[in-house]
Coordinates of all heavy atoms in Angstrom, one line a residue:
I1 N 1.3 -8.5 12.5 CA 1.2 -9.8 11.9 C 1.2 -10.9 12.9 O 0.8 -12.1 12.6 CB 2.3 -10.0 10.9 CG1 2.3 -8.9 9.8 CG2 2.2 -11.4 10.2 CD1 3.4 -9.0 8.8
T2 N 1.5 -10.6 14.1 CA 1.6 -11.6 15.2 C 0.3 -12.5 15.2 O -0.8 -12.0 15.3 CB 1.8 -10.9 16.6 OG1 2.9 -10.1 16.5 CG2 1.9 -11.9 17.7
G3 N 0.5 -13.8 15.2 CA -0.6 -14.7 15.3 C -1.3 -15.0 14.0 O -2.2 -15.8 13.9
N4 N -0.9 -14.3 12.9 CA -1.5 -14.6 11.6 C -0.5 -15.1 10.6 O 0.7 -14.9 10.8 CB -2.1 -13.2 11.0 CG -3.2 -12.7 11.9 OD1 -4.1 -13.3 12.2 ND2 -3.0 -11.4 12.3
L5 N -1.0 -15.9 9.7 CA -0.1 -16.4 8.6 C 0.1 -15.3 7.5 O -0.8 -14.6 7.2 CB -0.7 -17.7 8.0 CG -0.8 -18.9 8.9 CD1 -1.5 -20.0 8.1 CD2 0.5 -19.3 9.4
L6 N 1.3 -15.3 7.0 CA 1.6 -14.4 5.9 C 2.4 -15.1 4.9 O 3.5 -15.7 5.2 CB 2.3 -13.2 6.4 CG 2.8 -12.2 5.4 CD1 1.7 -11.4 4.8 CD2 3.8 -11.2 6.0
A7 N 2.0 -15.1 3.6 CA 2.8 -15.7 2.6 C 4.0 -14.8 2.3 O 3.8 -13.6 2.1 CB 1.9 -15.9 1.3
V8 N 5.2 -15.3 2.2 CA 6.4 -14.5 1.9 C 7.1 -15.2 0.8 O 7.0 -16.4 0.6 CB 7.3 -14.3 3.2 CG1 6.6 -13.5 4.2 CG2 7.7 -15.6 3.7
T9 N 8.0 -14.5 0.2 CA 8.9 -15.0 -0.8 C 10.0 -15.8 -0.2 O 10.2 -15.8 1.0 CB 9.4 -13.9 -1.8 OG1 10.2 -13.0 -1.0 CG2 8.3 -13.2 -2.5
E10 N 10.8 -16.4 -1.0 CA 11.9 -17.3 -0.6 C 12.9 -16.5 0.3 O 13.3 -17.0 1.3 CB 12.6 -17.9 -1.8 CG 13.7 -18.8 -1.4 CD 14.4 -19.4 -2.7 OE1 14.0 -19.0 -3.8 OE2 15.3 -20.2 -2.5
N11 N 13.3 -15.3 -0.1 CA 14.3 -14.6 0.6 C 13.9 -14.3 2.0 O 14.7 -14.6 2.9 CB 14.7 -13.3 -0.2 CG 16.1 -12.8 0.2 OD1 17.0 -13.6 0.4 ND2 16.2 -11.5 0.2
P12 N 12.8 -13.6 2.3 CA 12.4 -13.4 3.7 C 12.2 -14.7 4.5 O 12.5 -14.8 5.7 CB 11.1 -12.6 3.6 CG 10.9 -12.2 2.2 CD 11.8 -13.0 1.4
R13 N 11.7 -15.7 3.8 CA 11.5 -17.0 4.5 C 12.8 -17.6 5.0 O 13.0 -18.0 6.1 CB 10.8 -18.0 3.6 CG 10.5 -19.3 4.3 CD 10.3 -20.5 3.3 NE 11.6 -20.7 2.6 CZ 11.7 -21.1 1.3 NH1 10.6 -21.3 0.6 NH2 12.9 -21.3 0.8
D14 N 13.8 -17.5 4.1 CA 15.2 -18.0 4.4 C 15.8 -17.2 5.6 O 16.4 -17.7 6.5 CB 16.1 -18.0 3.2 CG 15.7 -19.0 2.2 OD1 14.9 -19.9 2.5 OD2 16.3 -19.0 1.1
A15 N 15.6 -15.9 5.5 CA 16.1 -15.0 6.5 C 15.5 -15.3 7.9 O 16.2 -15.4 8.9 CB 15.9 -13.5 6.1
L16 N 14.2 -15.4 7.9 CA 13.5 -15.8 9.2 C 14.0 -17.1 9.7 O 14.1 -17.3 10.9 CB 12.0 -15.7 9.0 CG 11.4 -14.3 8.8 CD1 10.0 -14.4 8.4 CD2 11.6 -13.5 10.1
G17 N 14.2 -18.1 8.8 CA 14.7 -19.4 9.2 C 16.0 -19.3 9.9 O 16.3 -19.9 10.9
Q18 N 16.9 -18.5 9.3 CA 18.2 -18.3 9.8 C 18.2 -17.6 11.2 O 18.9 -17.9 12.1 CB 19.1 -17.5 8.8 CG 20.5 -17.3 9.3 CD 21.3 -18.6 9.4 OE1 21.1 -19.5 8.6 NE2 22.2 -18.7 10.4
L19 N 17.3 -16.6 11.3 CA 17.2 -15.9 12.6 C 16.7 -16.8 13.6 O 17.1 -16.8 14.8 CB 16.2 -14.7 12.4 CG 16.7 -13.5 11.7 CD1 15.6 -12.5 11.5 CD2 17.8 -12.8 12.6
A20 N 15.7 -17.7 13.3 CA 15.2 -18.6 14.2 C 16.3 -19.6 14.8 O 16.4 -19.9 16.0 CB 14.1 -19.4 13.6
T21 N 17.2 -20.0 13.9 CA 18.2 -20.9 14.3 C 19.4 -20.2 15.1 O 20.1 -20.8 15.8 CB 18.8 -21.7 13.2 OG1 19.4 -20.8 12.2 CG2 17.8 -22.6 12.5
S22 N 19.4 -18.9 14.9 CA 20.5 -18.1 15.6 C 20.1 -17.6 16.9 O 20.9 -17.1 17.7 CB 20.9 -16.9 14.7 OG 19.9 -16.0 14.7
G23 N 18.8 -17.7 17.3 CA 18.4 -17.3 18.6 C 17.9 -15.8 18.6 O 17.6 -15.3 19.6
N24 N 17.9 -15.2 17.4 CA 17.5 -13.8 17.4 C 16.0 -13.5 17.1 O 15.6 -12.4 17.0 CB 18.3 -13.0 16.3 CG 19.7 -12.8 16.7 OD1 20.0 -12.4 17.8 ND2 20.7 -13.1 15.9
I25 N 15.2 -14.6 16.9 CA 13.9 -14.4 16.5 C 13.0 -13.9 17.6 O 11.9 -13.4 17.3 CB 13.3 -15.8 16.0 CG1 12.1 -15.6 15.1 CG2 13.0 -16.7 17.1 CD1 12.4 -14.9 13.8
D26 N 13.4 -13.9 18.8 CA 12.6 -13.3 19.9 C 12.5 -11.8 19.9 O 11.8 -11.2 20.7 CB 13.0 -13.9 21.3 CG 14.4 -13.4 21.6 OD1 15.3 -13.3 20.7 OD2 14.7 -13.1 22.8
K27 N 13.3 -11.2 19.1 CA 13.3 -9.7 19.0 C 12.3 -9.2 17.9 O 11.8 -10.0 17.1 CB 14.7 -9.3 18.6 CG 15.7 -9.6 19.7 CD 17.1 -9.3 19.2 CE 18.2 -9.5 20.2 NZ 18.4 -10.8 20.7
S28 N 12.0 -8.0 18.0 CA 11.2 -7.4 16.9 C 12.0 -7.4 15.6 O 13.2 -7.1 15.7 CB 10.8 -5.9 17.3 OG 10.0 -5.9 18.4
V29 N 11.3 -7.7 14.5 CA 12.0 -7.8 13.3 C 11.3 -6.9 12.2 O 10.1 -6.9 12.1 CB 12.0 -9.2 12.8 CG1 12.7 -9.4 11.4 CG2 12.7 -10.2 13.8
W30 N 12.1 -6.1 11.5 CA 11.6 -5.3 10.4 C 12.2 -5.9 9.1 O 13.4 -6.0 8.9 CB 12.1 -3.9 10.5 CG 11.8 -3.1 9.3 CD1 12.6 -3.0 8.2 CD2 10.6 -2.2 9.0 NE1 12.0 -2.1 7.2 CE2 10.8 -1.7 7.8 CE3 9.5 -1.9 9.8 CZ2 9.8 -0.8 7.2 CZ3 8.6 -1.1 9.2 CH2 8.7 -0.5 8.0
I31 N 11.3 -6.4 8.3 CA 11.7 -6.9 7.0 C 11.0 -6.1 5.9 O 9.7 -6.1 5.8 CB 11.3 -8.4 6.8 CG1 12.0 -9.3 7.9 CG2 11.6 -8.9 5.4 CD1 11.7 -10.7 7.9
D32 N 11.7 -5.3 5.1 CA 11.2 -4.4 4.2 C 10.1 -5.1 3.3 O 9.0 -4.6 3.1 CB 12.2 -3.8 3.3 CG 13.2 -3.0 4.0 OD1 13.0 -2.6 5.2 OD2 14.2 -2.6 3.4
A33 N 10.4 -6.3 2.8 CA 9.5 -7.0 1.9 C 8.2 -7.4 2.6 O 7.2 -7.7 1.9 CB 10.2 -8.2 1.3
V34 N 8.2 -7.5 3.9 CA 7.0 -7.8 4.6 C 6.3 -6.6 5.2 O 5.1 -6.4 5.1 CB 7.3 -8.8 5.8 CG1 6.1 -9.0 6.7 CG2 7.9 -10.1 5.3
C35 N 7.1 -5.6 5.7 CA 6.5 -4.5 6.4 C 6.0 -3.4 5.4 O 5.3 -2.5 5.8 CB 7.5 -3.9 7.3 SG 7.9 -5.0 8.7
I36 N 6.5 -3.4 4.2 CA 6.1 -2.5 3.2 C 5.3 -3.2 2.1 O 5.8 -4.2 1.5 CB 7.3 -1.8 2.5 CG1 8.1 -1.1 3.6 CG2 6.9 -0.8 1.4 CD1 9.5 -0.5 3.1
D37 N 4.1 -2.7 1.8 CA 3.2 -3.3 0.8 C 3.9 -3.1 -0.5 O 3.9 -2.0 -1.1 CB 1.8 -2.7 0.9 CG 0.9 -3.3 -0.2 OD1 1.3 -4.1 -1.0 OD2 -0.3 -3.0 -0.1
Q38 N 4.5 -4.2 -1.1 CA 5.3 -4.1 -2.3 C 4.4 -3.8 -3.5 O 4.9 -3.4 -4.6 CB 6.1 -5.4 -2.5 CG 7.0 -5.7 -1.4 CD 8.1 -4.6 -1.2 OE1 8.8 -4.3 -2.1 NE2 8.2 -4.1 0.0
S39 N 3.1 -4.0 -3.4 CA 2.2 -3.8 -4.6 C 1.7 -2.4 -4.6 O 0.9 -2.0 -5.5 CB 1.1 -4.8 -4.6 OG 0.2 -4.6 -3.5
N40 N 2.0 -1.6 -3.5 CA 1.4 -0.2 -3.4 C 2.6 0.8 -3.5 O 3.3 1.1 -2.6 CB 0.7 -0.1 -2.0 CG 0.0 1.2 -1.8 OD1 0.5 2.3 -2.3 ND2 -1.0 1.2 -1.1
S41 N 2.7 1.4 -4.7 CA 3.7 2.4 -5.0 C 3.7 3.6 -4.0 O 4.8 4.1 -3.6 CB 3.7 2.9 -6.4 OG 3.9 1.8 -7.3
D42 N 2.5 4.1 -3.7 CA 2.4 5.2 -2.8 C 3.0 4.8 -1.4 O 3.8 5.6 -0.8 CB 1.0 5.7 -2.6 CG 0.5 6.3 -3.9 OD1 1.3 6.8 -4.7 OD2 -0.8 6.3 -4.1
E43 N 2.6 3.7 -0.9 CA 3.1 3.2 0.4 C 4.6 3.0 0.4 O 5.3 3.4 1.3 CB 2.4 2.0 0.9 CG 2.9 1.5 2.3 CD 2.3 0.3 2.8 OE1 1.2 -0.1 2.4 OE2 2.9 -0.3 3.7
K44 N 5.1 2.4 -0.7 CA 6.5 2.1 -0.8 C 7.3 3.5 -0.7 O 8.3 3.6 -0.1 CB 6.9 1.4 -2.1 CG 6.6 -0.1 -2.0 CD 7.2 -0.9 -3.1 CE 7.1 -0.4 -4.5 NZ 7.6 -1.4 -5.4
G45 N 6.8 4.5 -1.4 CA 7.4 5.8 -1.4 C 7.5 6.4 0.0 O 8.5 6.9 0.4
I46 N 6.4 6.3 0.7 CA 6.4 6.8 2.1 C 7.3 6.1 3.0 O 8.1 6.6 3.7 CB 4.9 6.8 2.6 CG1 4.0 7.8 1.8 CG2 4.9 7.1 4.1 CD1 2.5 7.6 2.0
Q47 N 7.2 4.7 2.9 CA 8.0 3.9 3.8 C 9.5 4.0 3.5 O 10.3 4.1 4.4 CB 7.6 2.4 3.7 CG 6.2 2.2 4.2 CD 6.1 2.4 5.7 OE1 7.0 2.3 6.5 NE2 4.9 2.8 6.2
V48 N 9.9 4.1 2.2 CA 11.3 4.2 1.9 C 11.9 5.5 2.4 O 13.0 5.6 2.9 CB 11.5 4.0 0.3 CG1 12.9 4.5 -0.1 CG2 11.2 2.6 -0.1
A49 N 11.1 6.5 2.4 CA 11.5 7.8 2.9 C 11.8 7.7 4.4 O 12.5 8.5 5.0 CB 10.5 8.9 2.6
L50 N 11.1 6.8 5.1 CA 11.3 6.6 6.6 C 12.4 5.6 7.0 O 12.7 5.4 8.1 CB 10.0 6.2 7.2 CG 8.8 7.2 7.1 CD1 7.5 6.5 7.6 CD2 9.1 8.4 7.9
I51 N 12.9 4.9 6.0 CA 13.9 3.9 6.3 C 15.0 4.3 7.2 O 15.4 3.7 8.1 CB 14.5 3.3 5.0 CG1 13.4 2.5 4.2 CG2 15.7 2.4 5.2 CD1 13.0 1.2 4.9
S52 N 15.6 5.5 6.9 CA 16.7 6.0 7.7 C 16.3 6.2 9.1 O 17.0 5.8 10.0 CB 17.1 7.4 7.1 OG 18.1 7.9 7.9
E53 N 15.1 6.7 9.4 CA 14.6 6.8 10.8 C 14.4 5.5 11.4 O 14.7 5.3 12.6 CB 13.3 7.6 10.8 CG 12.8 7.9 12.2 CD 11.5 8.7 12.2 OE1 11.2 9.3 11.2 OE2 10.8 8.6 13.2
I54 N 13.8 4.6 10.7 CA 13.5 3.2 11.2 C 14.8 2.5 11.6 O 14.9 2.1 12.8 CB 12.8 2.4 10.1 CG1 11.4 2.9 9.9 CG2 12.8 0.9 10.6 CD1 10.7 2.4 8.7
Y55 N 15.8 2.6 10.8 CA 17.1 1.9 11.1 C 17.9 2.6 12.1 O 18.6 2.0 12.9 CB 17.9 1.6 9.8 CG 17.3 0.5 9.0 CD1 16.8 0.7 7.8 CD2 17.3 -0.8 9.5 CE1 16.3 -0.3 7.0 CE2 16.8 -1.9 8.8 CZ 16.2 -1.6 7.5 OH 15.7 -2.6 6.8
S56 N 17.8 3.9 12.2 CA 18.5 4.7 13.2 C 18.0 4.4 14.6 O 18.7 4.6 15.6 CB 18.5 6.2 12.9 OG 17.2 6.7 13.2
R57 N 16.8 3.9 14.8 CA 16.2 3.6 16.1 C 16.5 2.2 16.5 O 16.2 1.8 17.6 CB 14.7 3.8 16.1 CG 14.4 5.3 15.9 CD 12.9 5.5 16.0 NE 12.5 6.9 15.9 CZ 11.4 7.4 16.1 NH1 10.4 6.6 16.5 NH2 11.1 8.7 16.0
A58 N 17.1 1.4 15.6 CA 17.3 0.0 15.9 C 18.5 -0.2 16.8 O 19.5 0.6 16.7 CB 17.6 -0.8 14.6
S59 N 18.4 -1.1 17.7 CA 19.6 -1.4 18.6 C 20.5 -2.3 17.9 O 21.7 -2.4 18.2 CB 19.1 -2.0 19.9 OG 18.4 -3.2 19.7
Q60 N 20.1 -3.0 16.9 CA 20.9 -3.9 16.1 C 20.3 -4.1 14.7 O 19.1 -4.1 14.5 CB 20.9 -5.3 16.8 CG 21.8 -6.3 16.0 CD 21.7 -7.7 16.7 OE1 20.7 -8.0 17.4 NE2 22.7 -8.5 16.5
A61 N 21.1 -4.2 13.7 CA 20.7 -4.4 12.3 C 21.4 -5.6 11.8 O 22.6 -5.8 11.9 CB 20.9 -3.2 11.4
I62 N 20.6 -6.5 11.2 CA 21.1 -7.7 10.6 C 20.7 -7.6 9.1 O 19.6 -7.4 8.8 CB 20.5 -9.0 11.2 CG1 20.9 -9.1 12.7 CG2 21.0 -10.2 10.4 CD1 20.1 -10.2 13.4
V63 N 21.7 -7.7 8.2 CA 21.5 -7.6 6.8 C 21.5 -9.0 6.2 O 22.4 -9.8 6.4 CB 22.6 -6.7 6.1 CG1 22.4 -6.7 4.6 CG2 22.6 -5.4 6.7
W64 N 20.4 -9.3 5.5 CA 20.3 -10.6 4.9 C 20.5 -10.4 3.4 O 19.7 -9.7 2.7 CB 19.0 -11.3 5.2 CG 18.8 -12.6 4.5 CD1 18.1 -12.8 3.4 CD2 19.3 -13.8 4.9 NE1 18.1 -14.2 3.0 CE2 18.9 -14.8 4.0 CE3 20.1 -14.2 5.9 CZ2 19.3 -16.1 4.1 CZ3 20.5 -15.6 6.0 CH2 20.1 -16.5 5.1
L65 N 21.5 -11.0 2.8 CA 21.8 -10.8 1.4 C 21.4 -12.1 0.6 O 21.5 -12.1 -0.6 CB 23.3 -10.6 1.1 CG 23.8 -9.3 1.8 CD1 25.3 -9.2 1.6 CD2 23.1 -8.0 1.3
G66 N 20.8 -13.0 1.3 CA 20.4 -14.3 0.6 C 21.2 -15.5 1.1 O 22.2 -15.3 1.7
S67 N 20.7 -16.6 0.7 CA 21.4 -17.8 1.2 C 22.5 -18.3 0.2 O 23.2 -19.3 0.5 CB 20.4 -18.9 1.4 OG 19.6 -19.2 0.3
D68 N 22.6 -17.7 -1.0 CA 23.6 -18.2 -1.9 C 24.9 -17.7 -1.5 O 25.2 -16.5 -1.2 CB 23.2 -17.5 -3.3 CG 24.2 -17.9 -4.4 OD1 25.1 -18.7 -4.1 OD2 24.1 -17.3 -5.5
T69 N 25.9 -18.6 -1.4 CA 27.2 -18.3 -0.9 C 28.3 -18.3 -2.0 O 29.4 -18.3 -1.7 CB 27.6 -19.3 0.2 OG1 27.6 -20.6 -0.3 CG2 26.7 -19.2 1.4
S70 N 27.8 -18.3 -3.2 CA 28.8 -18.5 -4.3 C 29.7 -17.3 -4.4 O 30.8 -17.4 -5.0 CB 28.0 -18.7 -5.7 OG 27.2 -17.5 -6.0
D71 N 29.3 -16.1 -4.0 CA 30.2 -14.9 -4.0 C 30.6 -14.5 -2.6 O 30.7 -13.3 -2.3 CB 29.5 -13.8 -4.8 CG 28.1 -13.4 -4.3 OD1 27.7 -14.0 -3.3 OD2 27.5 -12.5 -4.9
H72 N 30.9 -15.5 -1.8 CA 31.3 -15.2 -0.4 C 32.5 -14.4 -0.3 O 32.6 -13.5 0.5 CB 31.5 -16.6 0.3 CG 31.9 -16.5 1.7 ND1 31.0 -16.1 2.7 CD2 33.1 -16.7 2.4 CE1 31.6 -16.1 3.9 NE2 32.9 -16.4 3.7
E73 N 33.5 -14.6 -1.2 CA 34.7 -13.8 -1.1 C 34.5 -12.3 -1.4 O 35.1 -11.5 -0.8 CB 35.7 -14.4 -2.2 CG 36.2 -15.8 -1.8 CD 37.0 -15.8 -0.5 OE1 37.7 -14.8 -0.2 OE2 36.8 -16.8 0.3
D74 N 33.5 -12.1 -2.4 CA 33.2 -10.7 -2.6 C 32.6 -10.0 -1.4 O 32.8 -8.9 -1.1 CB 32.2 -10.6 -3.8 CG 32.8 -11.0 -5.1 OD1 34.1 -10.9 -5.2 OD2 32.1 -11.4 -6.0
F75 N 31.7 -10.8 -0.7 CA 31.1 -10.2 0.5 C 32.1 -9.9 1.5 O 32.1 -8.9 2.2 CB 30.1 -11.2 1.1 CG 29.6 -10.8 2.5 CD1 28.8 -9.7 2.6 CD2 30.1 -11.4 3.6 CE1 28.4 -9.3 3.9 CE2 29.8 -11.0 4.8 CZ 28.9 -10.0 5.0
L76 N 33.1 -10.8 1.7 CA 34.1 -10.6 2.7 C 34.9 -9.3 2.4 O 35.2 -8.5 3.3 CB 35.0 -11.8 2.9 CG 34.4 -13.0 3.5 CD1 35.4 -14.2 3.5 CD2 34.0 -12.7 4.9
W77 N 35.2 -9.1 1.1 CA 36.0 -7.9 0.8 C 35.1 -6.7 1.1 O 35.6 -5.7 1.6 CB 36.3 -7.9 -0.7 CG 36.9 -6.6 -1.2 CD1 38.1 -6.2 -1.0 CD2 36.1 -5.5 -1.8 NE1 38.3 -4.9 -1.5 CE2 37.0 -4.5 -2.0 CE3 34.8 -5.4 -2.1 CZ2 36.7 -3.3 -2.6 CZ3 34.4 -4.2 -2.7 CH2 35.4 -3.1 -2.9
L78 N 33.8 -6.7 0.7 CA 32.9 -5.6 0.9 C 32.8 -5.3 2.4 O 33.0 -4.2 2.8 CB 31.5 -5.9 0.3 CG 30.4 -4.9 0.6 CD1 30.7 -3.7 -0.3 CD2 29.1 -5.4 0.2
N79 N 32.6 -6.3 3.2 CA 32.4 -6.1 4.6 C 33.7 -5.7 5.3 O 33.7 -4.8 6.1 CB 31.9 -7.4 5.2 CG 31.5 -7.3 6.7 OD1 30.7 -6.4 7.0 ND2 32.2 -8.0 7.5
N80 N 34.8 -6.4 5.0 CA 36.1 -6.2 5.8 C 36.9 -5.0 5.3 O 37.6 -4.3 6.1 CB 36.9 -7.4 5.8 CG 36.2 -8.6 6.5 OD1 35.4 -8.4 7.3 ND2 36.6 -9.8 6.0
E81 N 36.9 -4.7 4.0 CA 37.7 -3.6 3.5 C 36.9 -2.4 3.1 O 37.2 -1.3 3.5 CB 38.6 -4.2 2.4 CG 39.5 -5.3 2.8 CD 40.4 -5.8 1.8 OE1 40.8 -5.0 0.9 OE2 40.7 -7.0 1.8
F82 N 36.0 -2.6 2.2 CA 35.3 -1.4 1.6 C 34.5 -0.7 2.7 O 34.6 0.5 2.9 CB 34.3 -1.9 0.5 CG 33.6 -0.8 -0.1 CD1 34.2 0.1 -1.0 CD2 32.2 -0.6 0.1 CE1 33.5 1.2 -1.5 CE2 31.5 0.4 -0.4 CZ 32.1 1.3 -1.3
L83 N 33.6 -1.4 3.5 CA 32.8 -0.7 4.5 C 33.7 -0.2 5.6 O 33.4 0.9 6.2 CB 31.8 -1.7 5.0 CG 30.7 -2.1 4.0 CD1 29.7 -3.1 4.6 CD2 29.9 -0.9 3.5
A84 N 34.8 -0.9 5.9 CA 35.7 -0.4 7.0 C 36.3 0.9 6.5 O 36.5 1.9 7.3 CB 36.7 -1.4 7.3
G85 N 36.6 1.0 5.2 CA 37.2 2.2 4.6 C 36.3 3.4 4.6 O 36.6 4.5 5.0
I86 N 35.0 3.1 4.3 CA 34.0 4.1 4.3 C 33.8 4.7 5.8 O 33.6 5.9 6.0 CB 32.6 3.6 3.8 CG1 32.7 3.4 2.3 CG2 31.5 4.6 4.1 CD1 31.5 2.8 1.7
G87 N 33.9 3.8 6.7 CA 33.7 4.2 8.1 C 34.7 5.2 8.6 O 34.5 6.0 9.5
L88 N 35.9 5.3 7.9 CA 36.9 6.3 8.2 C 36.4 7.7 7.9 O 36.9 8.6 8.4 CB 38.2 6.0 7.5 CG 38.9 4.6 7.8 CD1 40.1 4.4 6.9 CD2 39.3 4.6 9.3
Y89 N 35.4 7.8 7.0 CA 35.0 9.1 6.5 C 33.6 9.5 7.0 O 33.1 10.5 6.7 CB 35.0 9.1 5.0 CG 36.4 8.8 4.4 CD1 36.7 7.6 4.0 CD2 37.4 9.8 4.5 CE1 38.0 7.3 3.5 CE2 38.7 9.6 4.0 CZ 39.0 8.3 3.5 OH 40.2 8.0 3.1
I90 N 32.9 8.6 7.7 CA 31.6 8.9 8.2 C 31.6 9.4 9.6 O 32.3 9.0 10.4 CB 30.7 7.6 8.1 CG1 30.6 7.2 6.7 CG2 29.4 7.9 8.7 CD1 29.8 5.9 6.5

């Protein structure tokens, strides 16, 4: 997509904007909604099957859950307690 315009929905646009302001935009970025043709069920099936491999090769993963902060407390619990607890068993 380098050098070309691509129409994206609000969520990937907001994520890319946040990456740009955080200084992480100079890295390669995989955005499922952009990299997988969402209108092609066959391609989505193939790509979703490869997600584990794609993310396992990443040196860093940033998860974007959206710009809405109304359930910030729920996220903190999920991140700090739930995921930390799962990490004990993985």
Side-chain angles (χ1 to χ4, degrees):
I1 301 177
T2 303
N4 296 307
L5 293 177
L6 176 70
V8 295
T9 60
E10 180 180 3
N11 202 37
R13 184 202 64 217
D14 290 349
L16 288 168
Q18 183 63 36
L19 283 171
T21 60
S22 70
N24 287 313
I25 200 67
D26 63 324
K27 297 175 174 62
S28 296
V29 177
W30 171 274
I31 299 175
D32 295 349
V34 173
C35 297
I36 301 173
D37 181 353
Q38 301 298 308
S39 66
N40 184 328
S41 295
D42 292 335
E43 180 180 339
K44 282 197 312 190
I46 293 167
Q47 295 293 332
V48 167
L50 296 173
I51 291 289
S52 175
E53 181 179 343
I54 290 167
Y55 286 113
S56 70
R57 293 182 180 192
S59 61
Q60 179 183 26
I62 300 170
V63 177
W64 178 259
L65 301 176
S67 56
D68 180 4
T69 60
S70 63
D71 52 3
H72 181 73
E73 293 299 320
D74 292 337
F75 168 76
L76 289 176
W77 171 83
L78 177 70
N79 187 57
N80 297 334
E81 296 184 36
F82 181 74
L83 294 177
I86 288 177
L88 297 174
Y89 301 100
I90 297 178

